[in-house]
Amino acid sequence: LTLSKRRVPCLDAHMDKLRLHLWPKFKSILDMHIKSLAKADDPKICVRRFAEFSASIALLNVGYNENMVDRSLRQMLGEVEKLVERFSTSLKTRKQQSMQKITFLQTIVETWKARGLESADLFFEIERMLQDQIGAFVDTELDDSFCGIVSFTSGMEKQMGITRSSSDQLPELSEQEMRNKIDINALSNLVKEFSARWKRGIDELNRSISQQFGGSTAAQLALKQALSRLLQTYSRVLDIVKRCGDIGLTSRDVVTTPTIMYEIKRLQKN
């Protein structure tokens, strides 16, 4: 490519032969890395090495977009994902597993960012994997800090045929149909418990995430997603409450979403 730009066609035949000779060797080296990852048992070392190696190869491929290189990097990423999964199964809780995966994926993301590879297709895939793991961690943290609000809300929505991937709109059900599908006492108790401890819960959430991730970028991403998810989930709970009519709640039992938003903004400023 460089010689073509400089209009030196006399070396085209030589460069083509060199390319045909070197590409199979380069491919065999990449295959050796893939096989090595498949046999590896220490993700802490392998993830760091994969992050540095893959970022270097991806950087060399910028502007050339060789499909073989892209396929090989994706295969390596797949083996790294399997390695991390094998390691995570040895951990006791779902939260610990998510935390470990977040730490590993954040290492790769930060390494690629340092190389200026944010626009690479594979980077978007790695970042999506990171966001998925942060989402799983956030759901667990919210349930721990806010009396099971995520699992309870998901259970209610499942009874009404709503999934997180579908529309956020509630189905067109009458008030009586809504009440028949939902445990009204449990819903009322959830709202009262949330109202009584939501401020303390946000502080606990912030403290817990900071303790587990320190001042890393992962901590910032997890806290931001957790607060957003909390507000979204509670808004959906209030929507269900409105559709169910009178369930024995007074204005003192219900904290408004603007109040929560104000507290979230205050926390983010600090």
Side-chain angles (χ1 to χ4, degrees):
L1 183 60
T2 302
L3 292 176
S4 297
K5 289 179 179 178
R6 294 181 179 180
R7 298 180 181 179
V8 188
C10 60
L11 292 176
D12 284 353
H14 172 72
M15 296 304 296
D16 287 341
K17 289 180 182 178
L18 194 61
R19 179 186 177 91
L20 291 172
H21 179 71
L22 291 178
W23 267 111
K25 293 184 179 295
F26 180 59
K27 178 65 167 64
S28 68
I29 292 172
L30 294 179
D31 289 342
M32 288 169 64
H33 278 279
I34 295 169
K35 291 177 182 178
S36 177
L37 284 170
K39 297 176 182 178
D41 57 5
D42 188 345
K44 294 180 181 179
I45 295 175
C46 290
V47 168
R48 167 55 65 185
R49 289 180 177 176
F50 166 76
E52 296 289 351
F53 180 76
S54 62
S56 298
I57 296 298
L59 190 60
L60 290 173
N61 197 38
V62 171
Y64 298 94
N65 302 320
E66 292 287 348
N67 290 331
M68 183 275 286
V69 173
D70 186 62
R71 284 196 303 270
S72 295
L73 290 179
R74 288 179 183 279
Q75 284 180 278
M76 284 187 210
L77 177 62
E79 293 300 335
V80 168
E81 194 175 1
K82 292 176 186 176
L83 172 60
V84 171
E85 189 65 40
R86 290 197 301 270
F87 177 78
S88 298
T89 53
S90 64
L91 301 175
K92 293 181 179 179
T93 66
R94 180 188 170 198
K95 183 190 292 187
Q96 289 175 325
Q97 293 173 2
S98 294
M99 284 176 55
Q100 193 64 76
K101 292 175 182 177
I102 289 169
T103 301
F104 289 143
L105 289 168
Q106 186 64 36
T107 298
I108 302 172
V109 167
E110 288 179 352
T111 303
W112 278 55
K113 279 186 176 180
R115 301 290 194 282
L117 294 166
E118 294 96 327
S119 60
D121 290 341
L122 190 57
F123 176 82
F124 289 121
E125 189 170 329
I126 298 169
E127 199 167 42
R128 178 191 56 76
M129 292 164 59
L130 174 62
Q131 291 298 332
D132 288 345
Q133 290 304 323
I134 290 177
F137 170 80
V138 160
D139 283 355
T140 307
E141 278 290 304
L142 288 179
D143 269 350
D144 290 346
S145 300
F146 295 95
C147 42
I149 188 171
V150 174
S151 56
F152 184 85
T153 306
S154 297
M156 285 194 301
E157 292 180 339
K158 187 176 181 181
Q159 287 181 315
M160 291 182 286
I162 299 175
T163 62
R164 198 181 301 182
S165 59
S166 67
S167 172
D168 288 344
Q169 298 298 318
L170 292 174
E172 294 299 325
L173 299 175
S174 67
E175 181 180 310
Q176 189 57 48
E177 288 174 323
M178 291 284 289
R179 297 174 73 93
N180 290 339
K181 287 180 174 290
I182 295 172
D183 186 337
I184 297 299
N185 288 331
L187 176 60
S188 177
N189 290 334
L190 175 73
V191 174
K192 290 177 181 178
E193 287 180 36
F194 182 87
S195 180
R197 71 182 310 276
W198 69 274
K199 277 191 178 182
R200 186 167 72 254
I202 287 179
D203 289 337
E204 289 175 0
L205 182 68
N206 182 33
R207 186 165 53 252
S208 175
I209 291 176
S210 297
Q211 288 174 348
Q212 293 175 86
F213 292 107
S216 66
T217 305
Q220 298 171 13
L221 291 172
L223 182 60
K224 181 179 179 180
Q225 192 173 135
L227 295 174
S228 175
R229 178 94 171 98
L230 172 65
L231 190 60
Q232 179 191 53
T233 302
Y234 184 65
S235 297
R236 293 166 86 152
V237 170
L238 291 185
D239 198 12
I240 293 172
V241 169
K242 291 177 184 176
R243 295 283 295 277
C244 289
D246 183 12
I247 62 172
L249 294 173
T250 66
S251 58
R252 292 183 179 181
D253 296 326
V254 182
V255 58
T256 62
T257 51
T259 303
I260 298 174
M261 289 175 66
Y262 175 81
E263 187 66 19
I264 288 174
K265 289 179 180 178
R266 183 192 65 78
L267 180 65
Q268 290 174 335
K269 287 180 180 178
N270 297 336

